[in-house]
């Protein structure tokens, strides 16, 4: 049996600000932006190439404190390019980190960063994201 993760609810304080961050700065595709009445809005966004979406909204999603979701992870084939793209798009992102591999992997680049190369950023509410390089998934 296959079990696929399709949607993750991300708690935000300001739906429009979060939608702009995820779509304009991160390049997520806006799949839906539906208002079902006062206080009931759902926005679904999908990272390019992903089979899993995020949902932000009010009234139709579980109530969680904005910024309380940590550890969301995206996988890219090239963390150096991903880092450069995030910086270019105005995302406040940390330096590339090597987690458990050769500390010189950043200088080496390429497959030296596979599985061990990460960058971290937060959305405007403080929800924490990691980006990991796994080039085999390209």
């Amino acid at each position: 049996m296959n079990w696929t993760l399709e949607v993750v609810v991300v708690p935000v304080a300001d739906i429009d600000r979060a939608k702009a961050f995820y779509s304009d700065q991160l390049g997520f595709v806006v799949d839906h932006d539906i208002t079902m009445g006062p206080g009931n809005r759902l926005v679904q966004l999908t990272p390019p190439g992903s089979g899993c979406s995020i949902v932000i909204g009010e009234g139709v999603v579980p109530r969680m404190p904005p910024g309380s979701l940590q550890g969301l992870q995206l996988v890219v084939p090239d963390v150096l390019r991903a880092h450069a793209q995030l910086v270019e798009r105005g995302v406040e992102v940390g330096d590339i980190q090597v987690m458990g591999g050769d500390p010189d992997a950043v200088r080496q680049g390429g497959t030296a960063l596979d599985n061990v190369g990460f960058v971290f950023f937060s959305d405007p509410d403080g929800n924490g994201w990691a980006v990991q390089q796994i080039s085999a998934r390209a």
Side-chain angles (χ1 to χ4, degrees):
M1 169 160 326
N2 290 332
W3 297 57
T4 60
L5 181 62
E6 299 285 336
V7 174
V8 175
V9 176
V10 177
V12 300
D14 182 321
I15 298 167
D16 290 320
R17 179 184 70 180
K19 178 184 173 187
F21 174 79
Y22 285 107
S23 63
D24 299 344
Q25 289 188 268
L26 294 183
F28 286 22
V29 175
V30 178
D31 301 316
H32 306 286
D33 186 343
I34 303 165
T35 301
M36 295 155 281
N40 288 294
R41 181 176 175 199
L42 179 131
V43 180
Q44 181 174 335
L45 305 107
T46 303
S50 180
C52 184
S53 302
I54 65 167
V55 166
I56 58 177
E58 66 176 326
V60 292
V61 296
R63 290 188 53 92
M64 298 182 285
S68 63
L69 192 57
Q70 301 297 311
L72 293 162
Q73 187 161 320
L74 299 165
V75 171
V76 296
D78 184 336
V79 75
L80 293 169
R81 278 188 33 220
H83 183 269
Q85 187 177 68
L86 290 168
V87 169
E88 181 180 296
R89 291 179 170 201
V91 176
E92 207 171 297
V93 62
D95 292 335
I96 296 169
Q97 296 183 29
V98 176
M99 310 288 269
D102 180 354
D104 199 34
V106 174
R107 188 187 60 73
Q108 295 169 24
T111 58
L113 289 166
D114 274 351
N115 302 306
V116 298
F118 288 83
V119 294
F120 299 91
F121 68 90
S122 295
D123 72 9
D125 288 288
N127 294 298
W129 289 82
V131 180
Q132 179 186 21
Q133 176 173 313
I134 303 178
S135 62
R137 299 220 183 127

